[in-house]
Every structure is written in structure tokens, then in C-alpha cells.
Amino acid sequence: MRTVVGATSGPDRSDTIGIAELGWDPETVGEIDHRLLKAPSVKLRSISVGANGDAVYSIDLRVRRPNTGRRLTGVELHSLEHFLLEGFRRHLAAHFVSVGVMGCRTGFYLVFLNEGRADKICMALEEILKGIREATAVPYARIDQCGDYRSHSLERARRLAVEILERRSAWLISV
Ligand SMILES: [Zn+2]
């Protein structure tokens, strides 16, 4: 597998999938000085292409600006992670691979297969977040489904969803 963009050694711009055509700002792809990051934002970090042409898109959903002392709580990360997992499975079923929490507690890693269009991913995220506002329970939160099933808060997830949706028009302005 070769990484097409976003390699820490520096992307080769002559060998890139059309980043701008996918709806991303090419200047923000890859690892960025974290002091510059805006949030909430959605940012393409890398595209990895396999031998058969399948592409894996790694996306950063940054909820809070790094190093501001406003990192998410464990419960907030956990419940929103469950909603993102359930929601992307539903809204981008053919393309969603996984969601992971950032250890710095400022956001989430999202991975998609053969779907890297910014508008598709943002529209799915918007639907998921709007759904949280109406939800009556955190998904997959039973003892047989979760490794820490007591550590959830629907109310916290709702507040986070509202917070992220408030910056919907600027999600793609990540720097
Ligand atoms: Zn869990």
C-alpha cells in the first residue's frame, strides 16, 4: 500500500488524487501544526491507495482546539464515539470502516474506504449529529455491547452534537 498524500515525509503533489475535487483544501492535508487547528472541523489527513486501486481515506473530526484546556471528558468521547459508529454504519454503510477516539481527547479519527468526498462525509455527519438531538438512548450501550457500559451520557452527547453543529458552515476550515 502506498500513501498518496499526507505522508509525514511530505506529499508528492504530482502523485495525488484530486484533493480539491474531493472538496478539501489541499493546504490542510497531512499533519498540521496543532497550534493552528480550528474546531469543530473536519479535515482530510491522508489517502492510502492499495495495489488494486482501492483508497482508504483518513479523516480527523476535531471537536475542540488542541491544548486549550477544553478537551472532552471520557464520557463525552465514549458516548459520541458510539453515536458516530452507529451513525456512519447507517449513513455510509458501503464505505465506513472505523471510528477511533484521539488520545488527546480533542476529537475522533474516521476511516472510509473508497469515499473521500468532503460533502458526502459532512452531510452524513450532519445527519448523525441531528439524530443525536432526537435520540432517546446511546447506541450499543448494553453490557453485552460495550466495555464500560455505565460510562455514557445521552445529555452530554446531545450538548456536544449541538456544539459541533453550530460550526457546520465552517467545518472544512480546519486551519
Ligand atoms: Zn463503549
Side-chain angles (χ1 to χ4, degrees):
M1 189 168 75
R2 68 199 169 96
T3 297
V4 176
V5 295
T8 49
S9 58
D12 177 354
R13 299 286 177 188
S14 67
D15 186 29
T16 57
I17 289 174
I19 303 297
E21 287 77 6
L22 291 169
W24 307 100
D25 177 356
E27 297 302 314
T28 67
V29 177
E31 298 298 332
I32 297 287
D33 182 338
H34 280 48
R35 294 170 294 185
L36 305 177
L37 292 175
K38 293 183 165 67
S41 63
V42 182
K43 186 175 97 62
L44 175 66
R45 182 162 24 83
S46 69
I47 308 172
S48 303
V49 179
N52 297 316
D54 290 306
V56 174
Y57 296 86
S58 296
I59 308 287
D60 292 344
L61 166 57
R62 187 76 57 172
V63 177
R64 296 273 172 80
R65 291 187 60 217
N67 302 306
T68 57
R70 297 191 64 240
R71 63 187 178 277
L72 302 172
T73 67
V75 167
E76 288 171 330
L77 277 173
H78 190 194
S79 292
L80 194 56
E81 174 211 7
H82 278 226
F83 274 109
L84 293 172
L85 180 62
E86 188 277 336
F88 278 116
R89 279 177 174 167
R90 207 156 27 86
H91 287 280
L92 285 175
H95 304 285
F96 176 64
V97 177
S98 72
V99 55
V101 300
M102 292 181 176
C104 58
R105 297 187 177 185
T106 62
F108 299 85
Y109 300 112
L110 301 171
V111 182
F112 300 92
L113 178 65
N114 294 331
E115 180 54 86
R117 287 172 292 179
D119 63 334
K120 291 285 178 189
I121 291 167
C122 287
M123 278 193 286
L125 177 61
E126 181 178 353
E127 290 304 311
I128 292 166
L129 295 172
K130 286 179 175 173
I132 295 175
R133 295 187 310 198
E134 318 298 325
T136 55
V138 177
Y140 313 131
R142 296 195 314 257
I143 192 170
D144 60 315
Q145 296 174 308
C146 176
D148 193 6
Y149 80 104
R150 289 191 184 91
S151 296
H152 285 290
S153 168
L154 178 60
E155 187 49 42
R156 291 277 188 177
R158 278 206 191 112
R159 270 190 250 166
L160 265 185
V162 169
E163 178 183 330
I164 298 168
L165 282 167
E166 279 174 355
R167 198 170 181 266
R168 172 66 178 97
S169 61
W171 279 354
L172 295 176
I173 303 170
S174 57
V175 176

